[in-house]
Amino acid sequence: MAFVRMVAVVLLMGTLMPWLCNAYWIKTLTSALALAIAASGVAVLYGQLGLVSLCQYALLGVGGWIALRLSHGLHLPFEVCVLAAGMLSCAVGMLAGLPALRMKGLYLALVTLMMAGGFQVLVSATGFPDGGDGLLGRVSGSERLLMARPALAQSDSAYFAYVCAWLALMLALIQLHRRTKAGRSWALIRRGEAVALGAGVNILLYQTWAFGLAGMCAGVAGALLAGSVGQLDGRAFVGSESVMLFALSVVGGVYHWTGALIAGLLLRALPSLLVDFNVNGYLSMIFFGMALLHALITAQTGVAGQIQGAWKAAFTRTKNGGRRD
């Protein structure tokens, strides 16, 4: 029932929000939901295995690069570009996860952050494909081309609903993993590698599997983000964005699917909301810092966990006729 409710809520949001928001907010929320897909990958690694990976935003850039290159170079259908970006980013994510086989905690975080920094240097030097020839697909001396959107989602409102459908699909894929052998194996690994080995879990396989799934989420998110704006800017993929994505995923909550939605909204919608009120959007960094401190000290399940707890408490009181247990 919870699985069906999750998919229904996301699809309903894709249907209703275009009627409630103006064009500016539709574009903002589209980016927020694409980033929510990447945040769901962070939730897999940290929520299921306790692994801190700080290269998720870089993997998002990898997915965007692949989608743009395939779209401009081979003129493949948009869905094929998204799937290819997800699969190839999955492979890159598995390679990025190799240090996790020997490193944990701070050491893994530092190594993956260095990977994110390496991608920043590379993409700043080469740029994203924009319709040119050659391996890099860069245009020289002419106007940059935009990535073609899918035929059924040409308008911003239709594309928002389209991104919601992909979000529902990726969240459903993650929930299916959590309910199958992979999820049970991840839970055992988080309790301790000795426990997992005693239960016959192949730690190498399932840790690599988790990094691949997180990479796939980031790749799909990057492709959808590229389709939203038509092109990507290498200057937007600094290493600090991977840190911010991880931090806000923790704030949103890594143990419930709504946490990824909250993380995406915090990353994109909150700064835009501040600007609407003539407040500098960078002030949101102060809020993010306080929210992360609160999440780490007193609310380790994040905002999603607190909302879920409050909902259950209210339901219990209603069921008991308003009495407090």
Side-chain angles (χ1 to χ4, degrees):
M1 183 63 182
F3 183 87
V4 175
R5 184 165 57 246
M6 175 192 73
V7 174
V9 167
V10 175
L11 294 180
L12 183 63
M13 181 171 58
T15 303
L16 293 180
M17 293 307 292
W19 295 90
L20 302 175
C21 301
N22 58 29
Y24 169 76
W25 274 103
I26 286 296
K27 290 183 178 180
T28 300
L29 292 176
T30 299
S31 298
L33 294 187
L35 291 175
I37 298 176
S40 66
V42 175
V44 170
L45 291 174
Y46 188 64
Q48 299 297 119
L49 290 165
L51 296 174
V52 179
S53 175
L54 299 180
C55 64
Q56 190 74 352
Y57 207 89
L59 290 174
L60 187 148
V62 170
W65 194 98
I66 293 168
L68 286 167
R69 191 69 194 95
L70 293 177
S71 177
H72 291 314
L74 301 178
H75 306 289
L76 296 175
F78 188 86
E79 290 77 13
V80 175
C81 294
V82 174
L83 290 174
M87 296 305 296
L88 292 176
S89 296
C90 172
V92 176
M94 289 180 179
L95 293 176
L98 290 178
L101 304 178
R102 294 187 176 274
M103 298 179 182
K104 297 291 186 293
L106 177 62
Y107 299 105
L108 176 61
L110 289 175
V111 169
T112 52
L113 182 60
M114 290 176 63
M115 293 179 183
F119 176 79
Q120 174 193 348
V121 173
L122 183 63
V123 79
S124 295
T126 61
F128 282 94
D130 52 11
D133 298 324
L135 177 64
L136 299 179
R138 296 287 294 168
V139 167
S140 178
S142 61
E143 186 178 356
R144 299 176 65 187
L145 299 180
L146 299 180
M147 182 179 181
R149 287 182 176 179
L152 52 81
Q154 290 294 309
S155 68
D156 290 337
S157 296
Y159 192 77
F160 173 80
Y162 183 82
V163 171
C164 283
W166 273 101
L167 174 60
L169 177 63
M170 298 307 296
L171 289 176
L173 179 62
I174 291 173
Q175 291 301 317
L176 287 174
H177 275 78
R178 286 175 171 168
R179 296 184 180 191
T180 57
K181 184 178 179 180
R184 294 190 294 271
S185 299
W186 292 337
L188 287 171
I189 294 172
R190 174 146 193 169
R191 291 185 62 183
E193 292 190 0
V195 176
L197 287 172
V201 173
N202 187 329
I203 296 176
L204 171 62
L205 171 64
Y206 285 103
Q207 280 190 338
T208 305
W209 191 332
F211 272 98
L213 181 58
M216 177 182 290
C217 291
V220 169
L224 293 173
L225 197 61
S228 175
V229 297
Q231 54 188 230
L232 295 175
D233 190 342
R235 294 171 296 181
F237 291 85
V238 295
S240 59
E241 289 295 334
S242 288
V243 178
M244 185 64 69
L245 180 62
F246 175 81
L248 293 183
S249 296
V250 174
V251 171
V254 295
Y255 304 108
H256 194 267
W257 64 269
T258 55
L261 284 178
I262 294 170
L265 291 173
L266 288 174
L267 195 57
R268 281 293 180 267
L270 181 60
S272 297
L273 185 62
L274 292 176
V275 171
D276 270 2
F277 285 95
N278 296 318
V279 178
N280 192 320
Y282 287 106
L283 289 178
S284 60
M285 300 296 180
I286 299 175
F287 169 78
F288 294 159
M290 294 188 297
L292 180 61
L293 188 63
H294 171 67
L296 293 175
I297 296 176
T298 62
Q300 296 183 3
T301 58
V303 177
Q306 291 181 300
I307 293 174
Q308 189 179 23
W311 177 264
K312 287 182 178 179
F315 178 78
T316 301
R317 287 198 298 271
T318 302
K319 188 176 180 180
N320 293 336
R323 298 191 304 273
R324 293 181 179 270
D325 295 333

